[in-house]
Structures are given as C-alpha cells and as structure tokens.
Amino acid sequence: MNTPVVLSSTFHHADDNHYLRGEASDTIRAFEDAVGALEGGHAVAFASGMGAIAAIAEGQPSGTTAVVPTAAYSGSVAIFAEQQRLGRMSVRPVDIVDTDAVLAALPGADLLWLETVTNPLIGVADLPALIAGARETGARVVVDATFSTPLLVRPLSLGADVVVHSATKYLAGHSDLLMGVLVTASAEDAEVWRTRRTLTGAIPGALECYLALRGIRTLAVRMERAQANAMELARRLDAHPAVTRVRYPGLPSDPGHERAARLHAGFGAMISFEVAGDAADATRLCESLRLISHATSLGGVESLIERRAMHQPDADMGTPPNLLRFSVGIEHVEDLWDDLSRAMRPS
Ligand SMILES: Cc1ncc(COP(=O)(O)O)c(C=O)c1O
C-alpha cells in the first residue's frame, strides 16, 4: 500500500537510475505522479516551493520582460526584483486582481506570474481572463496555486503553462517538511525544468516525498474541514467589534466573492483580518492565543496566525500593519472561536 522510501544517492550502473540529483528515485516519482494526476500535467518536485519558483524565474532567458504581482508571496516578488537588479529581466509590477491593469501591462511581455489567491491580501485573480489576455500577446503564464490546491483550482485546465505549489503547505499538510512542485502541460517543458533541477541541485529528499504523499491522501478531507471552519470563523470575525475588516472570498461582501464563486470549487481556508488598533494590538492578540499558534507558514492541520507586516518585504508591499494572516486548521471550530474571542475580549 505504500511507496518504498528509497534512501540512496547513487545506484548500480546495472539499474536504470545512476545518481539521485539527476534522475530522481521511485519515491520522488511517486509524489510527482500523484501531483501530476491532480493537476492534469507533468510534475517536477523540488526541495522547496522557492526551489520551484527559482527554477522558473532564474530559468528565463536574459532580457525577459515579466509582469508580476505588486502584492503576493514575498519570496516570489523578491526573486523577480533580484533578476531585475542583476540586469537579467525587466519587471512590470501590477495588481493582479485588477484585470484591466494586467491586460494593459501584457503587450511585449514574455511571462505573466499569478497567484490564484494572493498572499496575504486574499485577492482573487480572474484567471481565465488573464490567461486569455496572455495567450493573445504571447506571454507564458505561471500560476502559484499554493492557497487553492488542485482541489479548488486547476490552472492548467484554464490554459496556464505552469502551475507551482509550495508543497510545504496544503499538499503535505502537517508542517513537517519543505517541498515544492511545478506542473506543466507539456512533457518537453517538464524535461527543461528537470534539467534545471539537476543543475541547481534542488531535488527533494525521499523522506519528504514520502511524507508529502501521505499528506496528499488526506488532502480532500483536510480541505473540507478547514474550509468549513474558515467560513464559520470568517462570518463570526466579520461581526466582531474588535475586527475592522475580514478578507475571505466566502463572505458575500468580499471583493473576491463573485470571482471565487465562479472560478473556484471552494473558498479555501486562508483568512486575513484587520484588528482594531495598531500593530502592537495585533501582535498582542497573536501572543495571547493558546490553541492557534503564533507562527509563520500555512496549510497544516493546526491553525497558525501571524501579523504579516512584521516582515519588512510584506510591509513594503502595502500589507496593513494590523493585518493578521490566519491559516485555519482542522481543529473543532468552537475551540478555535473560544480561543479567538477570548483573545479579542477587552482586558
Ligand atoms: C504562496 C506561496 N508560494 C510559495 C511559497 C514558498 O514556499 P516554500 O516555503 O516551500 O519555499 C510560499 C511560502 O510561504 C507561499 O506562501
């Protein structure tokens, strides 16, 4: 019932494999087969989400023009800025939630970088409209679907060229490993990324692949429970006097609601909310929680919360100082609400 964990860096020449960095092992390929099947393409696993993202960003030809989000996962924004600083790429930053702004930035661009749901502002991009625009102007489209998982959005089926995930998050689901994966519609493209992985040494470990595969087995039930919790908590937070704004596309009042309802098979389990007061009040709230952990990252079975603007790159991209990014886990919803409502009670 289980894929063997192949712990070998080298193989007898009589075998098909020779050396792990260049050829992967059965454990790695089993993970790739599972994610490839979920996304409907050819998957290449990496040692982290950033490993996959770097393979793509750094693998573009010199002189590439890239349309990239102004506000998205800070590592992705930073790696494109770095390519520009090195003189390899010209970057056009746009708000990817603003479809007209993206379409206006596309002529002459080679690459469009999108997120299904933006980190941490929870904006929802209109993928079909943006992908159609990029098709017309000839830009290749890469979509980071970490927040959505293939259960909610499958960008390749909408015409994207590549979908990437930080498998560290929902796919693995237990906050116990770092992994990334990219999936392409074309087998030839997958070979190109595999070669980059070999050259940059970004192959994941076998134990990580085994654990991530085990995580994928429960992805559907974890997402179902986490989303149901998120919907209920978003409603309650929205009605709470200590909360000034809730960003969750499941709320009919959210600017992304119409798009998410139309394009996604669920509203996900990431909520960002702004608390009354300043950054210190928001941090105090995080520190007084007992069940929800004050920690970075997302997508695990346990709920995590953090004030994103504590990280300078997030503050620089306009994340409000009092915004908390809340990765809703699979605990009992009443336990989560007890924790939140106690922490928000005036002392
Ligand atoms: C949307 C998104 N993409 C990519 C990454 C990078 O993934 P990793 O931490 O596995 O390198 C993250 C990490 O937080 C993320 O949130």
Side-chain angles (χ1 to χ4, degrees):
M1 290 302 295
N2 288 288
T3 304
V5 184
V6 179
L7 291 174
S8 192
S9 58
T10 190
F11 301 85
H12 282 279
H13 277 307
D15 291 345
D16 289 342
N17 281 1
H18 300 288
Y19 188 58
L20 185 65
R21 173 159 51 75
E23 293 169 55
S25 64
D26 288 349
T27 323
I28 298 170
R29 278 191 285 267
F31 170 82
E32 291 178 338
D33 288 349
V35 179
L38 283 167
E39 289 288 6
H42 306 270
V44 186
F46 284 83
S48 68
M50 276 311 292
I53 291 167
I56 301 169
E58 295 173 1
Q60 299 304 310
S62 188
T64 289
T65 296
V67 175
V68 304
T70 39
Y73 172 57
S74 54
S76 306
V77 172
I79 203 159
F80 282 103
E82 177 70 355
Q83 291 299 298
Q84 176 151 279
R85 193 184 66 76
L86 294 171
R88 296 193 62 256
M89 204 180 262
S90 160
V91 170
R92 296 179 184 166
V94 288
D95 174 2
I96 60 164
V97 173
D98 182 343
T99 302
D100 290 341
V102 179
L103 296 180
L106 278 174
D110 307 289
L111 183 74
L112 170 62
W113 191 274
L114 300 172
E115 288 182 356
T116 50
V117 175
T118 63
N119 180 1
L121 299 181
I122 319 291
V124 181
D126 191 343
L127 288 189
L130 301 181
I131 292 169
R135 282 271 158 277
E136 262 172 46
T137 61
R140 288 167 67 75
V141 183
V142 183
V143 181
D144 183 332
T146 299
F147 274 30
S148 308
T149 83
L151 301 185
L152 306 190
V153 187
R154 295 170 81 230
L156 299 184
S157 71
L158 300 172
D161 297 284
V162 186
V163 55
V164 292
H165 289 274
S166 167
T168 310
K169 320 295 192 211
Y170 288 103
L171 293 179
H174 296 75
S175 308
D176 53 4
L177 60 88
L178 279 181
M179 262 189 75
V181 61
L182 64 78
V183 193
T184 71
S186 126
E188 296 91 78
D189 282 357
E191 274 316 306
V192 171
W193 303 122
R194 248 184 217 112
T195 302
R196 273 209 72 73
R197 181 180 69 182
T198 302
L199 294 175
T200 57
I203 199 149
L207 277 175
E208 279 77 2
C209 287
Y210 176 83
L211 287 170
L213 257 178
R214 188 157 81 166
I216 288 172
R217 287 173 163 183
T218 55
L219 176 63
V221 283
R222 285 188 284 108
M223 279 308 283
E224 201 177 296
R225 172 66 169 259
Q227 282 194 109
N229 282 351
M231 187 70 237
E232 185 55 31
L233 294 175
R235 275 199 209 104
R236 294 188 194 184
L237 285 167
D238 201 34
H240 198 284
V243 175
T244 55
R245 177 170 178 187
V246 178
R247 299 165 187 253
Y248 182 68
L251 294 174
S253 56
D254 188 86
H257 178 71
E258 181 278 325
R259 275 185 197 162
R262 179 165 48 90
L263 303 172
H264 302 180
F267 297 117
M270 294 301 299
I271 300 175
S272 285
F273 64 99
E274 289 158 47
V275 297
D278 57 14
D281 294 311
T283 301
R284 244 189 316 276
L285 196 160
C286 294
E287 288 171 348
S288 61
L289 291 162
R290 291 180 195 149
L291 174 61
I292 301 165
S293 296
H294 185 201
T296 196
S297 199
L298 60 111
V301 289
E302 61 294 297
S303 295
L304 304 178
I305 199 163
E306 78 171 333
R307 191 177 73 79
R308 277 307 280 182
M310 72 181 281
H311 306 290
Q312 197 55 43
D314 273 75
D316 292 346
M317 68 174 74
T319 303
N322 57 340
L323 177 143
L324 300 181
R325 190 188 70 185
F326 179 19
S327 172
V328 181
I330 65 168
E331 301 91 337
H332 197 291
V333 69
E334 296 304 337
D335 291 339
L336 292 171
W337 183 245
D338 282 353
D339 199 26
L340 276 171
S341 50
R342 187 194 40 76
M344 290 192 293
R345 211 170 290 145
S347 46

